[in-house]
Amino acid sequence: MKKTLRKLLVFILILGVLFVTACSSGEKTNSDNNKGDAGNSGAVTIRMAVFENDPNGMMEKARQKFNKEHDNIKIEFTQMSNDASQMHDQTVTQLSAGSENLDIVNMDVVWTAEFAESGWLLPLDDRFTEELQANYIGRQVDSVKYDDKTWAVPWFNDLHPLWYRTDLLEKYNLEVPETYEDAVKVAQKISKEEGIQGFTMHWGRSEQLIVSFTEFLHANGGDFFDENGKVIINSPEAVEALQFMVDMIEKYEVVSTSAIGHSTPEDSRIPFTQGQSLFNPNWGYVYSINQADDSAVKDKTWVASNFKFEGGKKANSVGGWNFAISSSSKHPDEAWEVIKWFTSAENQKEMLVGGGYAGTQLSLYEDAEVIKANPYLEEYTKAFEDASVRPSHPQYSKMSDIAQSYIHQALSGDLSPKEALDQLAKELEDIE
């Protein structure tokens, strides 16, 4: 009997360990960081989705500051994957189930139509008025509108330009190339001389692959759809663009095969910051991390628009994230107060000066203190002139998932670029 009881206790203990491990591997509520929140124990708790990646800890600092300043509201962060595709699925799982554990949705610019169409968000027209909208970057405001309603507030202004090693280009007396064709030649020369990679890319099967592919596609005059909505993803221009991506791995050897396993921006950013590559197309957060004291490339990197193809145009994918209120939230008024505070000019400035995310308030980009702390912003803002937008569609996530599969198969050598895009075109034509 004692042996049986002992075995039962051991079994229960093992189950408990497995349960704790499982809970810690997915979305995480930042309860470990709530030590400074004891003063508002009777407050309404608002659960807010954020990335696991927090440059210089500025989001957490902002959370603690809010909780200290407010007695009636307490914020808890629900950490989501840095992989946008995984984060999308995590968010959809909670929203579609009507979960009350997510009051504030952290929403990619390409999710607005899908989430609004599904009834997962509360419209914010009465809260985020036209008067307030006038203080924000117009392009980002446009991304939160769908079906003549406003569904979110822009909080993170993002672009996917080229980051490059200034010291190495200067060493070899070279300028930043204009075309992909010339960039490959420069990358081959410097990578051979320095023993580093030419490009670090995030070409794993994730949303980041669509971000990169869209840039190559638009740089060669291709697109997913024409102006009438007809599928043209298998046009000669599109096939050429994808073939060039394949050639960068197989023919020119300026992109490592490891790139097709990199699913997050961090996967390609880390080796770049460690001094292991010449070029890294990536999001705006890269600058502040490269400038950290422990960075191998401090004061050695800068930003420019991505390359173009001969006869094409430069293309930098537009990103950005917006805060929305879940239609399942029991505390929409308090959630709005949190969003309003986090997206205020004062908080966005504090975060950006501290090396956090680039905000969406227009005043930031004319603020001397902000520019001094982030000198790249002037060049970064110019890169928006070459902005490239992914398709807007209520079924965007489904489209993206299908496209990821075929493009990744081409990069992996399982399909030719033409085979991959022909099959992709057939599936996109069947999406309603």
Side-chain angles (χ1 to χ4, degrees):
M1 179 69 179
K2 290 182 179 179
K3 286 185 177 181
T4 302
L5 180 59
R6 190 179 298 116
K7 288 181 178 179
L8 179 60
L9 290 173
V10 170
F11 178 70
I12 291 172
L13 179 61
I14 291 172
L15 281 179
V17 171
L18 290 173
F19 176 75
V20 171
T21 302
C23 287
S24 65
S25 64
E27 303 121 43
K28 294 172 282 186
T29 299
N30 226 5
S31 56
D32 290 343
N33 295 318
N34 293 341
K35 295 177 181 179
D37 301 340
N40 48 9
S41 57
V44 168
T45 298
I46 295 298
R47 293 174 175 83
M48 183 178 191
V50 295
F51 310 118
E52 287 180 329
N53 183 40
D54 182 6
N56 296 305
M58 293 309 298
M59 282 294 288
E60 174 56 23
K61 289 177 184 177
R63 186 191 74 85
Q64 291 185 12
K65 181 180 180 181
F66 179 95
N67 286 352
K68 186 176 181 180
E69 292 178 354
H70 295 78
D71 294 328
N72 62 324
I73 305 173
K74 170 185 170 184
I75 302 172
E76 286 188 1
F77 281 167
T78 298
Q79 293 182 338
M80 298 286 197
S81 172
N82 293 331
D83 181 332
S85 297
Q86 290 185 21
M87 183 174 179
H88 170 270
D89 293 346
Q90 291 171 341
T91 306
V92 167
T93 296
Q94 292 217 28
L95 295 179
S96 60
S99 173
E100 298 174 5
N101 292 323
L102 192 61
D103 297 284
I104 296 176
V105 181
N106 188 8
M107 189 169 66
D108 195 344
V109 291
V110 293
W111 300 349
T112 303
E114 175 190 359
F115 285 20
E117 188 87 3
S118 299
W120 295 333
L121 308 177
L122 292 179
L124 299 181
D125 300 87
D126 293 339
R127 302 179 191 267
F128 190 41
T129 61
E130 290 186 5
E131 182 179 0
L132 288 176
Q133 291 175 22
N135 298 321
Y136 292 74
I137 296 171
R139 177 188 59 257
Q140 300 296 140
V141 172
D142 291 342
S143 75
V144 303
K145 294 178 180 291
Y146 176 72
D147 197 23
D148 295 326
K149 292 183 180 179
T150 304
W151 299 96
V153 179
W155 80 277
F156 179 11
N157 176 35
D158 214 0
L159 192 70
H160 192 264
L162 174 76
W163 296 93
Y164 65 94
R165 291 282 298 276
T166 56
D167 60 324
L168 293 180
L169 290 182
E170 289 171 4
K171 179 178 178 179
Y172 293 94
N173 196 28
L174 294 168
E175 299 289 335
V176 180
E178 287 288 308
T179 67
Y180 279 104
E181 293 89 347
D182 287 342
V184 163
K185 295 175 184 176
V186 170
Q188 286 176 322
K189 175 180 174 60
I190 293 180
S191 62
K192 181 180 180 181
E193 295 290 338
E194 299 289 330
I196 62 174
Q197 296 180 49
F199 291 76
T200 48
M201 300 292 204
H202 31 241
W203 286 356
R205 185 178 170 181
S206 72
E207 182 61 28
Q208 298 307 314
L209 177 56
I210 303 304
V211 167
S212 292
F213 173 67
T214 299
E215 290 169 345
F216 281 82
L217 179 65
H218 289 173
N220 201 43
D223 213 331
F224 283 85
F225 306 94
D226 67 13
E227 57 186 12
N228 297 316
K230 180 183 176 182
V231 175
I232 56 171
I233 194 57
N234 57 341
S235 68
E237 293 82 3
V239 173
E240 287 176 5
L242 183 53
Q243 182 65 60
F244 195 89
M245 293 174 71
V246 173
D247 288 345
M248 289 177 78
I249 299 174
E250 301 294 337
K251 182 178 178 180
Y252 305 122
E253 298 182 339
V254 293
V255 175
S256 169
T257 55
S258 63
I260 60 177
H262 293 168
S263 60
T264 72
E266 282 291 89
D267 292 330
S268 66
R269 194 279 305 165
I270 290 172
F272 182 65
T273 303
Q274 292 174 341
Q276 298 173 14
S277 70
L278 175 64
F279 298 127
N280 178 218
N282 214 325
W283 300 102
Y285 80 100
V286 168
Y287 177 78
S288 63
I289 298 180
N290 284 351
Q291 288 301 100
D293 290 337
D294 61 350
S295 167
V297 294
K298 184 177 181 180
D299 297 326
K300 298 177 181 178
T301 67
W302 201 240
V303 64
S305 281
N306 285 302
F307 313 110
K308 62 182 179 179
F309 288 103
E310 290 289 352
K313 61 180 182 179
K314 296 181 178 182
N316 308 308
S317 284
V318 173
W321 293 77
N322 310 311
F323 284 137
I325 300 176
S326 166
S327 56
S328 299
S329 173
K330 287 188 174 182
H331 306 288
D333 292 336
E334 290 81 1
W336 170 248
E337 290 303 313
V338 172
I339 291 176
K340 189 166 63 172
W341 187 90
F342 259 86
T343 60
S344 67
E346 179 183 358
N347 182 61
Q348 289 194 5
K349 176 179 176 178
E350 188 169 333
M351 289 189 64
L352 190 47
V353 169
Y357 296 115
T360 52
Q361 291 264 3
L362 288 167
S363 60
L364 295 175
Y365 299 88
E366 298 177 351
D367 189 294
E369 189 177 356
V370 169
I371 300 299
K372 182 179 179 181
N374 300 271
Y376 78 96
L377 282 178
E378 186 174 357
E379 196 67 37
Y380 184 73
T381 303
K382 289 180 183 177
F384 272 104
E385 296 174 7
D386 301 314
S388 175
V389 181
R390 286 165 283 170
S392 178
H393 195 284
Q395 295 292 327
Y396 175 80
S397 294
K398 183 178 180 180
M399 288 169 45
S400 174
D401 190 55
I402 295 169
Q404 290 169 33
S405 175
Y406 286 114
I407 295 166
H408 197 258
Q409 287 181 71
L411 294 176
S412 302
D414 297 326
L415 293 173
S416 72
K418 187 173 190 316
E419 289 171 338
L421 296 185
D422 280 344
Q423 292 182 44
L424 173 58
K426 288 180 181 179
E427 293 215 36
L428 292 184
E429 287 169 355
D430 291 336
I431 292 180
E432 296 180 357

